[in-house]
Amino acid sequence: MNAQLLLASLAVGLLTTAASAANAATCESLASLQIENTKITTATPVSGTFTSAYGVAVQDLPAFCRVAGSIQPSNDSTIQFEVWMPASGWNGKFHGVGNGGYAGSLSYGVMGAPLKHGYAVATTDTGHTGGDASWALGHPEKVIDYGYRGIHEMTVKAKA
């Protein structure tokens, strides 16, 4: 009787694993995700070296899925974000990286280390570009993005 129970448990486990593998999304398919107030602009596999449009190069990276997008929680708010997910060996954890000062850019340079340790890692520009506070004058929604909403939205959307 115990052997039959063990075999039944193994069969259920194998079927569950097979179903999960069959339902797993490919990196490219993530471009079609429908997430509230969010537009996915890029979903592409990367390995080795990643060089941003700004010339920031991050080297010796394991294979990963790069997903970039923008979030628009209000009319005067556009929060850019990026998520790098390991192609294999994910440790089941999420790591959001910060950016200093007035922020205003994606922190590519610090995304590599968490990725190499198996984390899904994300960054955001906190809703504006530039390294000073000129963007804030007359834009209370952008101030909210910078203050807390940008990090929150990045985290929620990246986990989705």
Side-chain angles (χ1 to χ4, degrees):
M1 185 72 165
N2 287 338
Q4 289 175 335
L5 184 58
L6 178 62
L7 285 174
S9 295
L10 286 172
V12 169
L14 288 173
L15 289 173
T16 302
T17 302
S20 295
N23 291 329
T26 64
C27 181
E28 294 87 348
S29 72
L30 296 176
S32 63
L33 278 178
Q34 299 296 311
I35 303 172
E36 184 179 9
N37 302 323
T38 304
K39 180 180 179 184
I40 303 298
T41 56
T42 300
T44 186
V46 178
S47 66
T49 298
F50 169 77
T51 304
S52 75
Y54 305 105
V56 176
V58 186
Q59 300 178 352
D60 301 320
L61 296 171
F64 68 96
C65 179
R66 174 182 177 239
V67 178
S70 61
I71 307 162
Q72 191 170 16
S74 74
N75 288 337
D76 192 30
S77 175
T78 302
I79 302 163
Q80 302 298 321
F81 74 101
E82 236 179 79
V83 185
W84 292 1
M85 297 174 284
S88 64
W90 180 44
N91 65 16
K93 298 177 184 177
F94 171 80
H95 183 100
V97 299
N99 41 25
Y102 287 110
S105 64
L106 300 175
S107 298
Y108 294 113
V110 296
M111 293 179 76
L115 181 70
K116 289 175 187 179
H117 287 95
Y119 287 86
V121 60
T123 185
T124 179
D125 66 358
T126 65
H128 66 278
T129 57
D132 62 21
S134 61
W135 51 267
L137 188 58
H139 297 281
E141 292 295 316
K142 291 185 185 304
V143 173
I144 292 168
D145 290 342
Y146 169 72
Y148 67 90
R149 185 168 52 195
I151 299 290
H152 172 74
E153 289 289 336
M154 171 204 71
T155 303
V156 170
K157 304 312 192 224
K159 287 181 176 183

